[in-house]
Amino acid sequence: MIQLTKRVEFCAAHRYANPRWSAEENARVFGRCVNLHGHNYVLEVTVQGEPAPETGMVIDLKALKDLILETVNSRFDHKNLSGDVPELADTNPTPENLAVLIWELLAPALQGCRLARIRLHEDGSTYVDYAGERRAAPSAAGAGHAA
Amino acid sequence: MPPEARGAPLAEVTRAYQFSAAHRMHNPAFSAAENARLYGRCNHPTGHGHTYRLAVTVRGPISPDTGWVLRAEELDALVGQHVLARFDRANLDQLIRPADGVTSTTEVLAGVLWRLLDGALPAGLLWRLRIEETPNNFFEVNRPLLQRAADPPDRPGPAAGTQKASRP
């Protein structure tokens, strides 16, 4: 089993807000991030699979790059994540939530291999990893991860 | 299925820090010649130093209110208070206790930083520490590794516990 990672960059604006909170509460929790600002995001998409005997490839890197550009960059690059992306209409555009959305967009679109990890760097000193895991639903009490 | 019925997504968030510290690798139980042989130039009598780079990873559910696993400023404040305030511009050999290990290798330092940060963060949230002594030498400790070390497969697991307790 091989893991393979493709790296792309996109640049986007965002601001943090919880619409259920007052302006004061948003400012208290999110600080300067309530102001519209932006980042040069670096996205690392890791897929996992067996190299095909005919090609020696887990996935054609060009096909993976094209899929990421069509799925992620077309939605996010040089956009405002607080308004331009319908999938984020009810979601605060933190790197955590962006990583989950990117996972959910890419995972069903991959063929011949499976998505192993989304790593999203917001800047040189912060990144988020998401591997499709969820805490057990509230109804399944007792089965959850410690948090 | 609505998102809330699936449970909160579990994400890992990593933030990077750095600190500059001096140290000398030296085990007082060994002779000077043995220390010199074992640790080489890292045993230099008056010490040397590094700019250590520390990546701290927390893992947990994404809050539906904030979209965060943990407020970045909260992590920065805890790392600042428990690690940077003590270890930046410091001599590691004065900070590492005999119980932590024989000398200030980065392996020993990783265990010390894990103990400090795991004690300061909400229970179970700390997931991984990665420490670069130089860009060419880096060390990692993480919760699954520690759990495996605490409960190796050849030791009786929880299911076998009663069996062990019933032994004379």
Side-chain angles (χ1 to χ4, degrees), chain A residues 42-62:
Chain A
V42 175
L43 170 65
E44 295 175 31
V45 175
T46 301
V47 301
Q48 182 173 308
E50 296 290 353
E54 300 80 11
T55 62
M57 296 193 287
V58 172
I59 186 173
D60 181 336
L61 271 172
K62 175 71 164 62

Side-chain angles (χ1 to χ4, degrees), chain A residues 29 94 125-127 129 133 135, chain B residues 8 12 14-15 59 67 71:
Chain A
V29 174
T94 59
S125 66
T126 304
Y127 63 82
D129 289 332
E133 292 176 271
R135 192 159 73 163
Chain B
E12 297 174 16
T14 301
R15 282 177 73 80
R59 182 180 192 270
R71 189 185 173 83

Side-chain angles (χ1 to χ4, degrees), chain B residues 101-131:
Chain B
V102 286
T103 190
S104 55
T105 59
T106 309
E107 291 92 324
V108 169
L109 178 63
V112 172
L113 299 188
W114 180 276
R115 171 170 58 76
L116 293 171
L117 288 173
D118 194 36
L121 281 159
L125 205 63
L126 183 61
W127 187 251
R128 183 173 64 237
L129 294 182
R130 184 182 192 274
I131 307 176

Side-chain angles (χ1 to χ4, degrees), chain A residues 1-15:
Chain A
M1 191 69 71
I2 300 286
Q3 288 194 339
L4 177 159
T5 301
K6 183 72 195 169
R7 184 176 182 274
V8 301
E9 297 178 23
F10 61 88
C11 306
H14 71 173
R15 57 187 295 271

